[in-house]
Amino acid sequence: MNPDQTIPTTCTMDCPDTCALDVTVREGRVVGLHGRRDHPDTAGFICEKVSRFHERLYHPSRILHPLRRTGPKGEGRFEAISWDAALTEIADRFREVRDRFGGEAILPFKYGGSNGFLGDGPVDDLFFARLGASRLARTFCAAPTGEAAKGLYGKMPTTAFEDFVHARCIIIWGANPRVSNIHLLPYLKEARRRGAFVAVVDPLRTFPAADVDLHLPILPGTDLPLALALAHEAESRGWLDRAFLDARTTGADTLLATARSWDLDRAAETCGVGAEAIRQLAQVYQKATPALIRCGWGLERNQNGARAVAAILALPALFGKFGVKGGGYALSNSGAVRLDASRLFEMPPWTTRMLNMSRLGALLQEPLAPPIAALYVYNCNPVATAPDQNAVIQGLQREDLFTVVHEQVMTDTARYADIVLPAVTFLEQREIKRGYGSYVVGGVRPAVAPEGEARPNEAVFSALAGRLGFTDEIFTWDTETLVRRMAGALTGLEGQADTYLEGGIQTAAFSGGTPIQFDTVMPRTPDERGHLAPAFLGKDPYRFEPVEAGDFPLALLSPASSKMTSSTFGEFNYPQLRLAMHPADAAARGIAQDDRVKVWNRLGEVRCPADLTDRVRPGVVVLPKGAWMKSSGNGRTATALAPAHLEPASGGACYNDARVEVAGLSSPQDAL
Ligand code: SF4
């Protein structure tokens, strides 16, 4: 037997940590993945799901060859065909659609959290621009936070993980680092050991009680009133940093004018927590320096999402918490390093209609002009992840819709495709992966040859471009050339192509060390000020709009779990869906532990067993994000209950505006 090989690479999963990995290869097969010890943030450990990534690599549901549908849509019956036949058919169908309806009848559909610059960006965008395809607003995640961070501070770099240890007060707001940012935990632990006060704002108890000093289990979607009440406390108690606000910000008075109507009692009643707890949070935050807010993505998933994030990001300015190491706020750092695609090629004008991905079900069924006649899905599993799952499925069943899905495993979405293309995993490809939590850019290098005939995105789009007669030079570059050219087109650090080709990681450097907001890094707004009433929020930027619950009194949350990254790993790592609910809500409905229940609203129904837990506050029930249809009793998951309305300022998805009712099912056959 040959000795094991160790291949360095970078994790590409949609996760703030962007770990440096060692992949163990034995006799040509991956047998283990480990966190590198020589990388400061990774520090020798990784999450359980990626440590098992080889189970996905070799899973029986892996797509190994191009496939053509042979049965009804959704049934999952396919025949293997050659790449040549698949690409020719796609190119022919795209040509037909374009000739008949125009290019806008073709819709590219992708997310991209688990991809790098090669697979998500220049090559595919250029391809669809040349086709004249519709553009896609990517709104499943980070649209409200992104707009708020841009609107207030121009995406100023935020506090680095390692600087959390300096904070004397840390508010973790709408984030759960225990499942999706685990490399922050050692820094949180060290901060607490040094005496930091740690508060968590989350409807769910995500930390053991011993690890936090204060937990505010607010009702879903009430983050805005809570933030406004804190702002009101700052003003009414004379804590505002007026000198800072006058010199470094605009718009504080607009925010404060709304905040004045949110005293502690009103906020407490709306948020479903005690006024005393809000007062304590305000007092601790005001007294502590440095004080830090770790703003997550959970609080954006509702119709008040962008306003809530904006109000929260305004708090460090109001309370005077910027300008010190370990102070300010932490959010996405994806803006620190960018790819300047204009250094690679000249992008033609791409001004076609913009369609919002969160409305996929409606878009596929409503009378658009032109209609969506061809759909190309990659880096995405919308049947599991798009709001209004039943509408998405109905849309994908349209016989006149030509659907291509480029995927690693046979997902719920791939089963509806006319053509399925096999995609590589990150263990079989080259990539350049930018972190959005840690300040790193990592090289992804193949540990093993692709299974079957799997190919990366850029190779497929280049091959299709050739068939459609697109002659841009970038479509002729091989993967190594793309890595080299893209490394030279990065801004924010000196991209080192050889480092990326070898699977190494670079860290973005800031003058003066890690960023200190309003000291070593400034808002990237034209006037370098913070804009606390940003234009994108409109005339009444901080108005609160409660969700109409009607006959459905329980708020449904669908948070990230430790089992999946969005829907990735759902093929093997999520055996059975369970509804988490508070024992008091269960008792009121005669539901006992493990009883089979139905969860429903006007959009759909999910059947599964119940888990009674006080980890969930009364009035809230929980189903995990990204679960596959096979994991529930009736083939429907949390997104079947999620409305498709949009957060008004950013177009973001509003999963957490789902309101539901729950009832026990008397017969086991009813549930399973
Ligand atoms: S998913 Fe996150 S924690 Fe897990 S290995 Fe990847 S970067 Fe690290």
Side-chain angles (χ1 to χ4, degrees):
M1 185 186 280
N2 293 322
D4 288 354
Q5 281 179 286
T6 300
I7 310 290
T9 193
T10 305
C11 178
T12 63
M13 289 297 103
D14 187 350
C15 168
D17 296 10
T18 316
C19 287
L21 303 178
D22 277 334
V23 182
T24 307
V25 178
R26 184 175 302 152
E27 302 289 330
R29 286 176 70 86
V30 174
V31 294
L33 293 95
H34 306 278
R36 292 230 303 268
R37 290 181 194 286
D38 59 354
H39 188 263
D41 284 338
T42 305
F45 71 97
I46 58 172
C47 59
E48 186 251 351
K49 54 198 171 192
V50 168
S51 72
R52 295 173 60 191
F53 198 95
H54 45 307
E55 293 183 44
R56 181 176 178 88
L57 184 61
Y58 302 120
H59 195 266
S61 67
R62 190 76 201 274
I63 300 162
L64 300 175
H65 308 284
L67 304 171
R68 180 190 287 127
R69 180 168 65 88
T70 56
K73 291 194 173 195
E75 210 175 88
R77 279 198 279 139
F78 297 96
E79 62 179 358
I81 57 175
S82 67
W83 265 107
D84 185 54
L87 293 170
T88 301
E89 187 164 335
I90 295 167
D92 287 349
R93 293 294 296 269
F94 278 4
R95 239 186 248 106
E96 281 169 31
V97 167
R98 197 176 50 175
D99 291 349
R100 181 167 172 205
F101 299 106
E104 284 186 326
I106 300 166
L107 179 65
F109 199 91
K110 64 171 175 178
Y111 198 66
S114 293
N115 278 75
F117 290 127
L118 274 73
D120 176 24
V123 182
D124 49 326
D125 283 352
L126 178 61
F127 173 78
F128 286 111
R130 288 275 176 233
L131 263 180
S134 288
R135 294 174 297 151
L136 184 74
R138 296 205 283 179
T139 56
F140 285 172
C141 184
T145 50
E147 286 299 320
K150 189 167 72 179
L152 268 79
Y153 301 114
K155 290 205 169 174
M156 170 171 59
T158 78
T159 304
F161 292 173
E162 57 263 47
D163 287 336
F164 275 61
V165 300
H166 303 297
R168 304 294 297 169
C169 168
I170 300 172
I171 304 175
I172 302 169
W173 199 320
N176 183 1
R178 284 167 55 83
V179 303
S180 52
N181 186 191
I182 60 173
H183 292 86
L184 188 63
L185 297 176
Y187 299 115
L188 285 175
K189 196 170 167 190
E190 175 60 14
R192 200 142 186 275
R193 193 189 67 73
R194 296 186 189 186
F197 183 98
V198 175
V200 175
V201 180
D202 198 309
L204 313 180
R205 181 156 44 76
T206 52
F207 281 81
D211 288 356
V212 299
D213 300 286
L214 179 66
H215 175 210
L216 271 77
I218 62 170
L219 286 163
T222 62
D223 306 86
L224 175 60
L226 177 59
L228 292 172
L230 296 175
H232 176 72
E233 278 291 283
E235 184 178 42
S236 60
R237 292 178 175 270
W239 296 339
L240 289 178
D241 187 343
R242 275 286 176 203
F244 179 87
L245 292 172
D246 290 345
R248 315 295 287 274
T249 72
T250 66
D253 289 336
T254 303
L255 189 157
L256 291 167
T258 305
R260 279 177 208 126
S261 66
W262 286 98
D263 62 25
L264 290 182
D265 289 337
R266 184 180 175 212
E269 192 183 342
T270 304
C271 299
V273 294
E276 193 46 46
I278 302 176
R279 189 194 320 275
Q280 185 189 2
L281 182 65
Q283 284 174 341
V284 172
Y285 183 62
Q286 189 272 331
K287 281 192 186 136
T289 298
L292 177 61
I293 297 176
R294 192 326 178 219
C295 179
W297 290 268
L299 61 116
E300 70 171 12
R301 295 156 61 99
N302 65 84
Q303 65 189 17
N304 295 289
R307 297 186 286 259
V309 177
I312 291 164
L313 298 190
L315 293 174
L318 297 170
F319 281 77
K321 300 301 178 187
F322 285 122
V324 287
K325 196 174 265 300
Y329 69 90
L331 185 55
S332 172
N333 290 317
S334 64
V337 176
R338 294 171 202 248
L339 179 74
D340 181 359
S342 69
R343 295 195 209 166
L344 302 174
F345 61 90
E346 193 175 335
M347 184 75 170
W350 193 17
T351 55
T352 53
R353 67 182 174 185
M354 181 75 81
L355 300 177
N356 190 311
M357 70 186 315
S358 296
R359 297 191 64 251
L360 177 65
L363 291 172
L364 290 175
Q365 295 180 80
E366 62 194 19
L368 294 180
I372 298 168
L375 182 70
Y376 189 109
V377 181
Y378 57 118
N379 311 345
C380 204
N381 180 9
V383 169
T385 56
D388 198 354
Q389 186 176 51
N390 286 311
V392 172
I393 290 170
Q394 280 164 18
L396 290 174
Q397 283 173 330
R398 263 179 45 203
E399 275 306 321
D400 62 337
L401 176 70
F402 176 65
T403 302
V404 179
V405 175
H406 187 196
E407 249 305 351
Q408 298 169 356
V409 293
M410 187 56 73
T411 62
D412 291 335
T413 304
R415 297 169 70 85
Y416 289 87
D418 296 283
I419 299 286
V420 182
L421 302 175
V424 290
T425 68
F426 80 95
L427 297 178
E428 305 160 300
Q429 72 179 138
R430 288 203 183 280
E431 256 295 3
I432 301 176
K433 176 69 179 177
R434 168 187 57 186
Y436 65 90
S438 56
Y439 285 108
V440 299
V441 177
V444 179
R445 129 183 203 196
V448 289
E451 285 289 290
E453 298 181 89
R455 293 186 186 178
N457 289 344
E458 68 278 6
V460 178
F461 287 116
S462 292
L464 283 171
R467 278 171 171 72
L468 285 157
F470 305 153
T471 55
D472 305 78
E473 191 189 355
I474 194 170
F475 293 131
T476 67
W477 295 346
D478 63 15
T479 299
E480 184 174 332
T481 306
L482 278 167
V483 170
R484 291 196 178 282
R485 300 288 181 105
M486 287 184 180
L490 296 180
T491 62
L493 92 178
E494 288 264 312
Q496 310 252 334
D498 288 336
T499 300
Y500 305 145
L501 290 166
E502 289 161 10
I505 279 188
Q506 276 187 278
T507 302
F510 295 92
S511 65
T514 48
I516 304 172
Q517 295 175 313
F518 282 93
D519 182 6
T520 63
V521 294
M522 292 296 153
R524 294 175 172 178
T525 50
D527 57 1
E528 293 198 341
R529 286 176 168 226
H531 296 285
L532 308 189
F536 87 99
L537 288 177
K539 278 196 185 133
D540 188 6
Y542 292 106
R543 72 190 176 282
F544 175 63
E545 292 174 11
V547 173
E548 291 297 329
D551 297 334
F552 300 98
L554 299 169
L556 172 68
L557 293 183
S558 47
S561 78
S562 58
K563 302 281 186 191
M564 291 175 287
T565 301
S566 192
S567 71
T568 304
F569 305 114
E571 73 280 2
F572 73 90
N573 211 24
Y574 203 84
Q576 192 184 46
L577 210 61
R578 298 178 75 84
L579 178 81
M581 70 188 303
H582 191 274
D585 288 329
R589 292 162 176 81
I591 294 167
Q593 173 68 23
D594 296 326
D595 276 2
R596 295 171 180 87
V597 297
K598 67 172 182 175
V599 193
W600 82 98
N601 61 20
R602 289 192 181 85
L603 295 172
E605 178 177 307
V606 176
R607 295 179 174 213
C608 64
D611 251 343
L612 309 193
T613 170
D614 64 4
R615 212 174 56 78
V616 175
R617 64 158 291 151
V620 175
V621 292
V622 176
L623 287 168
K625 173 177 162 182
W628 288 31
M629 293 163 75
K630 66 183 178 186
S631 65
S632 88
N634 66 332
R636 292 296 182 268
T637 61
T639 49
L641 307 166
H645 65 247
L646 304 175
E647 192 286 317
S650 67
C654 293
Y655 301 98
N656 290 350
D657 282 343
R659 297 293 180 267
V660 298
E661 183 52 284
V662 181
L665 290 163
S666 48
S667 149
Q669 285 72 31
D670 277 345
L672 297 173

